[in-house]
Each structure stands twice: as structure tokens, then as C-alpha cells.
């Protein structure tokens, strides 16, 4: 299990939009399940609002709890980190959740508001933990210093407990710290590329084979990883200095190397999906409804239903409305079939537009059952347990 800590942020809404949706889309296919901590709601759509309100009410919380109101206001109340397992490991939901809760205790954030989001868009299992640094009772700000060091020690204990270690560098750094020696994180890909090369061209080729790009930084030559992060390669190669690094690159023209921005743009191979505008989507929905005559069928069902209800009681008694009731059932069956076909076509259209929301209804309920329809707000989100909702059919 490997932790990764972000730099933090100011917006809980931005974190919610990123972690609770697919990249460059409004769908939620990559979200496996969510869990909230120290909040009354389990709904992730409401949880970020609770966390944002707590951060906004920091001064009032301090005053109510008797804390000193002086001090600099917290500019980045959002703390986020991830816990990733190796593809060979297959932890279940309970194990991942328990590990995430234990990591909060290690960081001293067990009393803070938190939202845990599990993703399934990668071969390896992983969860994202979004924490509110503002204490919900005292209003005090939790320190995030040495967070990575604490999580690294936590991951080391986790590996020793389960007998699996996929990061040998972590164990080596831990031994150095125990001896009082300085320990630095090293990217093994850069060290391997340096060992395999003997000149600048072979070094650049070895880096490119590992998904890394050599580029011009603000002050020095840097390496850009697939995620766009810049790395000083000299710090990841043992026993060399900047002078030695440049000497190996003497056979190439350094001015021909790309800048960091150019290197990042080259890595953006996948273009963003073109999403239709709101007016275009409304026109497409309108055309689909006209194609399947949904509005006409709704009107016919409503009129026939009203005619049956307003019929005299003696006609109902002797069965004169029986044929109309049978016609009503046939109309409703035809409407449900047309509606199902329209929803299927609409789902395909939304996939093309990158707006797929299969867990929501695309069309209203039928006129027959609208009176019995009640909207309910779900307080949990687990895509594995979701069931497709369909309108009830008139009992015969």
C-alpha cells in the first residue's frame, strides 16, 4: 500500500467535482463507493457543503469553544491524500475503509470531517481521502506538516503486518532514519536510465521508455513524469552532481529540448470530449420524444383515464367501462415500450456527449402512476448496490 499526499486546496466544491466524477465528464463511472466520517449525512453531494460550511464558520466555532480568535486564518482547509494497493492485491471495501480510518488516526485527524471516495478506473485499488483541517467543534486548524513521513511510516507498518512490501526503497529509508542518516526519496526509473546509458541520446531514450521527458525548467534541466510533475534528476541519481549530469549530455543540443509546458502538452494525447451545449441537448431530447410520440401517448392516456373516472357509477357497475379499461392498459403498455426505447436511445446519445448519468431518470413517470410517485433522497452512494428504477405498471 502506497500513500500519496497532495498540496491541499481551498475549495471543497472543486475537490468534490474532481473526485466524485470522471475526468472531463459529469458521469460517475469510476466511483465505486463513498463513506463520510464525523458528519450526519452520508450523501457525498451534501458532505462537501457541510465541510465548506464548517471551514467558513471557523471564527464562530472558536468563539463558542472558548478558543483564542487571534491568528492567521486558514487559507487551505482542504487536505487530500490517496492510498493505493498493488495490482496483485485485491482488498475488499471493508479492508480499504478500515485502512483509511487508521490513516486518519495516524495523522491525528480522526475527529475531523472527512469524505472517503474509492475509484475503480485503474488496475490497482485505491481510495482518496478528503479531510477538513478545521475541527468541527473547536475550530482549530490541524497541522499537515510531515504528513507524508507519517503516512510512509504507516505504510511500512502495514507492509510488515501483512507480509507484503512492494516498495523496497521505503524499507531502506526507514533503516537510514533509525540510524540518524539522511533519507531521500529516489525515483528508480531515473537511476535505471542513468545506469543503462553512456551518452545523452541513450539517456533521453531510456527516460522516454519509462514515460519520462527531459525538459528545460526555470533554472535547470528537469524530468517531467506522465502526470506533469517536474523532478530534478540529479537528486535521484546517486553519487553525481549537476556538472556530471551535463557532461553526459554533451553530445546533444540542449537548446532543442522542450520546455516543461511543451513536454506536458505532448503527454496530453487524449483529447477532451466535445460536449454538446445545453440547447443542443434539449433539441436532441425533443426530437427523440417526437420520434416516439411520447407526448401524444401521455395525452391519450390522461384523457382516457379521466373519461373512465368520470363515468357514471352504474356504467362501472354493469361493466360498460371494461373495454375502455382494456384500451387504457394497451395504451400504457405501448407507452412504456416507447419510453424504454427512447431512454435507451437517450443513454447512447449521452455516452457520445460524455454526459452519461445512468443512475438518473431521463423522462418523467407515466401519467397513470405520477400520483403515487414520491421523490426520495439517498444518503449513501454505492454503485455496486444500485438498481435500475422503472415506473410501476398498472395492476390488472
Amino acid at each position: 500500500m502506497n500513500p500519496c499526499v497532495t498540496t491541499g486546496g481551498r475549495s471543497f466544491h472543486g475537490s468534490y467535482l474532481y473526485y466524485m466524477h470522471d475526468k472531463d465528464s459529469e458521469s460517475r463511472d469510476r466511483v465505486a463507493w463513498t463513506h463520510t466520517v464525523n458528519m450526519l449525512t452520508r450523501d457525498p453531494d451534501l458532505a462537501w457543503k457541510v465541510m465548506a460550511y464548517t471551514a467558513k464558520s471557523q471564527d464562530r466555532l472558536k468563539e463558542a469553544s472558548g478558543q483564542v480568535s487571534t491568528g492567521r486564518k486558514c487559507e487551505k482547509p482542504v487536505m487530500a491524500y490517496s492510498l493505493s494497493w498493488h495490482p496483485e492485491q485485491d482488498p475488499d471495501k471493508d479492508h480499504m475503509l478500515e485502512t483509511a480510518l487508521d490513516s486518519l488516526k495516524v495523522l491525528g485527524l480522526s475527529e475531523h470531517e472527512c469524505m472517503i471516495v474509492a475509484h475503480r478506473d485503474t488496475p490497482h485499488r485505491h481510495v482518496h481521502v478528503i479531510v477538513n483541517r478545521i475541527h468541527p467543534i473547536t475550530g482549530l486548524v490541524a497541522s499537515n506538516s510531515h504528513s507524508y513521513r507519517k503516512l510512509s511510516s504507516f505504510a511500512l507498518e502495514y507492509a510488515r503486518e501483512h507480509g507484503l512490501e512492494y516498495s523496497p526503497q521505503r524499507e531502506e529509508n526507514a533503516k537510514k532514519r533509525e540510524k540518524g542518516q539522511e533519507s531521500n526519496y529516489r525515483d528508480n526509473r531515473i537511476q535505471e536510465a542513468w545506469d543503462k546509458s553512456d551518452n545523452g541520446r541513450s539517456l533521453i531514450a531510456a527516460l522516454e521508455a519509462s514515460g519520462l521527458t527531459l525538459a528545460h525548467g526555470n533554472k535547470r534541466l528537469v524530468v517531467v513524469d506522465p502526470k506533469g510533475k517536474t523532478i530534478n534528476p540529479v537528486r535521484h541519481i546517486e553519487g553525481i552532481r549537476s556538472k556530471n549530469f551535463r557532461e553526459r549530455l554533451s553530445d546533444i543540443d540542449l537548446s532543442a529540448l522542450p520546455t516543461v509546458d511543451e513536454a506536458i502538452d505532448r503527454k496530453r494525447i487524449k483529447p477532451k470530449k466535445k460536449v454538446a451545449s445545453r440547447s443542443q441537448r434539449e433539441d436532441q431530447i425533443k426530437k427523440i420524444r417526437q420520434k416516439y410520440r411520447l407526448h401524444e401517448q401521455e395525452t391519450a392516456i390522461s384523457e382516457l383515464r379521466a373519461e373512465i373516472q368520470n363515468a357514471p357509477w352504474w356504467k362501472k357497475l354493469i361493466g360498460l367501462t371494461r373495454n375502455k379499461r382494456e384500451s387504457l392498459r394497451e395504451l400504457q403498455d405501448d407507452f412504456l415500450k416507447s419510453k424504454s426505447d427512447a431512454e435507451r436511445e437517450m443513454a447512447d446519445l449521452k455516452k457520445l456527449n460524455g454526459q452519461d448519468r445512468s443512475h438518473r431518470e431521463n423522462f418523467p413517470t407515466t401519467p397513470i402512476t405520477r400520483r403515487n410517485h414520491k421523490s426520495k433522497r439517498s444518503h449513501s452512494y454505492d454503485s455496486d448496490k444500485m438498481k435500475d428504477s422503472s415506473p410501476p405498471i398498472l395492476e390488472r
Side-chain angles (χ1 to χ4, degrees):
M1 187 267 297
N2 288 327
C4 181
V5 184
T6 67
T7 57
R10 297 180 174 86
S11 174
F12 288 100
H13 186 213
S15 301
Y16 158 79
L17 292 176
Y18 177 77
Y19 292 111
M20 282 301 301
H21 297 83
D22 297 337
K23 296 180 179 179
D24 304 326
S25 178
E26 295 184 5
S27 59
R28 295 183 175 182
D29 295 337
R30 69 170 179 168
V31 178
W33 53 266
T34 64
H35 183 82
T36 59
V37 181
N38 296 323
M39 284 184 278
L40 295 179
T41 180
R42 294 188 223 173
D43 187 357
D45 298 336
L46 298 178
W48 74 268
K49 298 180 181 180
V50 175
M51 299 168 75
Y53 183 80
T54 300
K56 188 176 181 180
S57 307
Q58 179 185 6
D59 294 336
R60 285 189 287 177
L61 291 173
K62 284 184 176 182
E63 182 180 357
S65 60
Q67 304 293 333
V68 180
S69 59
T70 58
R72 185 177 180 182
K73 187 174 179 61
C74 180
E75 296 181 355
K76 291 186 176 182
V78 183
M79 179 181 178
Y81 62 92
S82 63
L83 302 176
S84 304
W85 283 261
H86 194 272
E88 296 180 359
Q89 297 174 292
D90 189 23
D92 56 11
K93 175 183 176 180
D94 294 336
H95 179 79
M96 297 169 69
L97 179 59
E98 181 182 1
T99 306
L101 295 177
D102 290 341
S103 68
L104 290 173
K105 296 178 182 178
V106 170
L107 296 173
L109 300 172
S110 58
E111 297 182 356
H112 287 246
E113 297 168 339
C114 170
M115 183 168 65
I116 303 172
V117 183
H119 285 174
R120 55 186 174 192
D121 57 338
T122 58
H124 59 277
R125 300 249 182 174
H126 65 282
V127 295
H128 295 273
V129 185
I130 304 96
V131 191
N132 188 358
R133 293 178 58 199
I134 309 300
H135 196 280
I137 298 177
T138 63
L140 298 178
V141 183
S143 174
N144 59 353
S145 60
H146 305 291
S147 297
Y148 184 79
R149 181 72 61 83
K150 296 176 183 177
L151 288 176
S152 180
S153 301
F154 170 72
L156 182 61
E157 293 297 329
Y158 176 91
R160 291 173 177 173
E161 179 181 352
H162 293 81
L164 296 172
E165 180 55 77
Y166 295 95
S167 301
Q169 185 68 36
R170 182 187 296 125
E171 184 75 28
E172 181 180 345
N173 290 339
K175 293 179 180 179
K176 288 183 179 180
R177 287 194 293 268
E178 290 177 358
K179 296 179 181 179
Q181 301 176 359
E182 183 179 359
S183 62
N184 295 319
Y185 167 74
R186 297 185 186 276
D187 194 324
N188 294 330
R189 295 174 297 178
I190 300 177
Q191 181 68 54
E192 292 175 359
W194 178 266
D195 296 337
K196 293 178 181 179
S197 63
D198 55 358
N199 54 41
R201 295 184 182 277
S202 58
L203 175 60
I204 293 177
L207 290 173
E208 292 286 350
S210 301
L212 305 175
T213 303
L214 187 65
H216 282 289
N218 294 331
K219 298 181 179 179
R220 61 181 66 87
L221 293 176
V222 297
V223 171
V224 183
D225 69 357
K227 296 182 179 181
K229 180 182 178 181
T230 58
I231 306 170
N232 183 0
V234 178
R235 295 183 177 179
H236 295 260
I237 304 175
E238 187 176 0
I240 73 161
R241 297 178 177 271
S242 299
K243 180 181 178 180
N244 307 120
F245 188 79
R246 285 186 171 272
E247 287 178 355
R248 178 161 296 190
L249 300 174
S250 59
D251 61 319
I252 64 172
D253 183 13
L254 297 181
S255 61
L257 294 176
T259 63
V260 173
D261 294 336
E262 292 173 349
I264 294 175
D265 291 337
R266 291 179 184 179
K267 294 180 181 296
R268 293 174 180 171
I269 301 175
K270 184 178 178 181
K272 292 185 178 181
K273 297 180 180 180
K274 293 183 178 180
V275 181
S277 63
R278 183 175 180 179
S279 60
Q280 291 175 339
R281 293 197 298 269
E282 291 177 352
D283 293 339
Q284 292 169 349
I285 295 175
K286 186 177 180 180
K287 290 180 181 180
I288 293 176
R289 291 182 66 88
Q290 292 176 350
K291 175 182 177 181
Y292 292 95
R293 301 173 52 250
L294 296 181
H295 179 70
E296 297 177 8
Q297 295 184 57
E298 286 178 345
T299 304
I301 290 174
S302 299
E303 292 178 353
L304 187 56
R305 174 173 170 269
E307 186 177 348
I308 294 174
Q309 288 181 342
N310 296 331
W313 64 270
W314 57 272
K315 286 188 176 183
K316 297 178 182 179
L317 182 63
I318 62 177
L320 294 180
T321 59
R322 182 180 302 170
N323 293 334
K324 292 183 179 180
R325 290 183 182 275
E326 293 178 355
S327 299
L328 179 62
R329 295 191 186 99
E330 293 177 358
L331 286 176
Q332 186 186 16
D333 292 341
D334 294 339
F335 176 81
L336 292 176
K337 182 180 179 180
S338 299
K339 179 186 173 184
S340 177
D341 295 338
E343 287 180 339
R344 191 180 302 108
E345 186 172 340
M346 188 62 198
D348 296 338
L349 183 64
K350 287 193 172 186
K351 288 182 179 179
L352 294 176
N353 291 335
Q355 301 288 328
D356 183 23
R357 295 184 182 180
S358 56
H359 60 284
R360 298 188 180 182
E361 292 181 349
N362 295 325
F363 295 95
T365 56
T366 65
I368 299 299
T369 60
R370 184 181 290 122
R371 59 184 177 179
N372 297 326
H373 180 74
K374 295 182 181 180
S375 60
K376 297 182 179 179
R377 182 182 295 276
S378 175
H379 294 289
S380 62
Y381 186 92
D382 194 336
S383 61
D384 294 333
K385 297 181 180 179
M386 275 191 163
K387 297 181 180 179
D388 295 333
S389 58
S390 58
I393 301 178
L394 180 65
E395 297 181 359
R396 304 195 178 188

